[in-house]
Amino acid sequence: MLTLSLLRHAKSSWSNSSLPDRERPLATRGVTDAPLMGKAMAERGIDPDLVLCSSARRTRDTLALVLPELKVEPRVV
């Protein structure tokens, strides 16, 4: 059976209001929390085959911190 899992980006920073929305980085809390989410996913057997990820900076940064914690290497699009 196929399973769809949705993961929102980690906490993003609003410290620079002049940045376009797509360019917002992760906040310190997001950088800390994202690997923890990856570990939690791995512990629960959430092993994605395919990841569809926005090109927004905060989503790509989140993914970069989550992926090393997983037990699999999914295809990322």
Side-chain angles (χ1 to χ4, degrees):
M1 175 193 327
L2 295 176
T3 301
L4 173 66
S5 300
L6 302 176
L7 175 66
R8 188 174 187 271
H9 61 79
K11 177 71 176 166
S12 59
S13 173
W14 288 91
S15 63
N16 184 348
S17 60
S18 67
L19 282 177
D21 184 59
R22 318 186 44 71
E23 297 301 321
R24 280 190 295 120
L26 293 179
T28 302
R29 187 177 108 199
V31 172
T32 301
D33 289 351
L36 298 176
M37 180 52 72
K39 286 179 187 175
M41 290 170 64
E43 288 169 359
R44 289 164 177 77
I46 300 172
D47 301 320
D49 297 317
L50 173 67
V51 174
L52 304 176
C53 185
S54 164
S55 61
R57 180 177 172 189
R58 62 189 175 276
T59 59
R60 292 292 170 164
D61 291 350
T62 298
L63 184 60
L65 294 166
V66 168
L67 286 179
E69 305 301 331
L70 300 180
K71 296 176 184 172
V72 297
E73 290 185 38
R75 184 167 66 104
V76 177
V77 180

